[in-house]
Amino acid sequence: MTDASALPGRPRGTVLSGPATARAVNVLAPNPSPMTLDGTNTWLLAEPDSDLAVVVDPGPLDEGHLRAVLDTAERAGRRVALTLLTHGHPDHAEGAARFAELTGTKVRALDPALRLGDEGLAAGDVVTVGGLELRVVPTPGHTSDSLCFHLPADGAVLTGDTVLGRGTTVVAHPDGRLGDYLDSLRRLRSLTVDDGVHTVLPGHGPVLEDAQGVVEFYLAHRAHRLAQVETAVEDGHGSPAEVVAHVYADVDRALWPAAELSVRAQLDYLREHGII
């Protein structure tokens, strides 16, 4: 067994519902799969002395899970005042409309189609609820509408699917673009270097204690995969499926369809830069 402290980002053990930082509590959704890992992390955020809370990514349309999120807030003496989305994939956002009904909250997201209410989210926005401050960080790449939320009081960032607690992220071609994703990782790295971010609260997988370490690992991993794809094309593997079979031969075949999305994004990137 590998020591967690030796893994990228220093994962904090297993994924469990419960407190993660002074202001963040995880309620794990019951939707485990090869793509969602242990399930979707729904984050309940609040200042320690506040009776108002923010929920990030209510998760799938699962009545039991949505009510578990509410119960977690109520047991802490808090009322959910706002719902935020990191992006629109169903495992993060499908339950948002129902959760808004249960809580009477608005839903804020980058994509207007996902919003309930007049306000969206954009780069540079600062969301404040009950003294809690969240800074909106645009991180397109996994999807075009992906956002992260910087929680400065805890030195933490909520990353949705941009950075996972275990493994690496799919660039969901054609909506996701590799160039955007690399820029987003560099943006996150600047948070770790310049803004004191040390903890990653991901959309899936365990909390990470070394934010800079995992972002550096992601950047190196992407560079390595890109070089592998370039070499595979030079060796005559012409189609995305052929590249996947060659480059991702050591990866569970159940993940090959997702890997093909990333390969398509990498091929686009190599073509755009005149490399292939």
Side-chain angles (χ1 to χ4, degrees), residues 241-266:
E242 290 171 346
V243 173
V244 169
H246 181 71
V247 172
Y248 292 80
D250 59 339
V251 173
D252 184 346
R253 282 177 175 257
L255 298 175
W256 279 17
E260 184 170 327
L261 297 179
S262 284
V263 165
R264 289 179 181 275
Q266 290 171 93

Side-chain angles (χ1 to χ4, degrees), residues 227-238 243 246 267 270 275-276:
Q228 287 181 307
V229 170
E230 181 184 351
T231 299
V233 172
E234 291 172 351
D235 290 345
H237 301 282
V243 173
H246 181 71
L267 291 171
L270 292 169
I275 299 171
I276 61 172

Side-chain angles (χ1 to χ4, degrees), residues 33-77:
S33 75
M35 289 298 296
T36 60
L37 305 181
D38 309 83
T40 301
N41 295 332
T42 293
W43 292 103
L44 181 71
L45 309 175
E47 281 296 308
D49 59 352
S50 176
D51 61 355
L52 298 178
V54 176
V55 165
V56 177
D57 289 351
L61 184 55
D62 181 297
E63 191 77 8
H65 173 63
L66 299 179
R67 292 192 179 276
V69 177
L70 276 177
D71 291 344
T72 301
E74 289 170 359
R75 284 196 300 270

Side-chain angles (χ1 to χ4, degrees), residues 66-246:
L66 299 179
R67 292 192 179 276
V69 177
L70 276 177
D71 291 344
T72 301
E74 289 170 359
R75 284 196 300 270
R78 295 189 171 111
R79 176 177 65 84
V80 177
L82 181 64
T83 302
L84 304 176
L85 298 176
T86 61
H87 65 296
H89 279 168
D91 56 311
H92 293 257
E94 186 183 39
R98 174 58 178 155
F99 191 68
E101 290 179 0
L102 293 172
T103 58
T105 60
K106 296 178 179 179
V107 177
R108 295 181 65 182
L110 179 61
D111 184 349
L114 300 171
R115 300 173 190 167
L116 293 174
D118 296 331
E119 282 190 286
L121 292 169
D125 284 353
V126 178
V127 177
T128 56
V129 172
L132 182 81
E133 179 183 298
L134 287 171
R135 299 174 184 172
V136 178
V137 182
T139 50
H142 170 66
T143 61
S144 61
D145 69 329
S146 288
L147 299 171
C148 292
F149 297 103
H150 177 198
L151 179 56
D154 283 347
V157 61
L158 290 86
T159 54
D161 281 356
T162 298
V163 173
L164 304 179
R166 186 171 65 250
T168 55
T169 298
V170 171
V171 179
H173 181 275
D175 182 49
R177 296 176 55 82
L178 181 59
D180 291 341
Y181 186 62
L182 295 174
D183 288 343
S184 293
L185 290 176
R186 295 182 189 109
R187 193 170 296 120
L188 290 176
R189 181 172 57 186
S190 74
L191 288 181
T192 72
V193 173
D194 301 326
D195 295 285
V197 167
H198 49 74
T199 301
V200 173
L201 306 177
H204 304 280
V207 172
L208 301 176
E209 304 281 9
D210 178 14
Q212 184 174 353
V214 75
V215 173
E216 295 286 3
F217 169 78
Y218 265 54
L219 284 164
H221 171 79
R222 282 294 161 205
H224 178 63
R225 283 296 195 210
L226 196 60
Q228 287 181 307
V229 170
E230 181 184 351
T231 299
V233 172
E234 291 172 351
D235 290 345
H237 301 282
S239 72
E242 290 171 346
V243 173
V244 169
H246 181 71

Side-chain angles (χ1 to χ4, degrees), residues 1-17 26 38 41 165-166 202 204-209:
M1 181 178 293
T2 303
D3 181 359
S5 66
L7 296 173
R10 296 207 314 268
R12 189 189 296 172
T14 58
V15 180
L16 294 173
S17 292
N26 181 30
D38 309 83
N41 295 332
R166 186 171 65 250
H204 304 280
V207 172
L208 301 176
E209 304 281 9

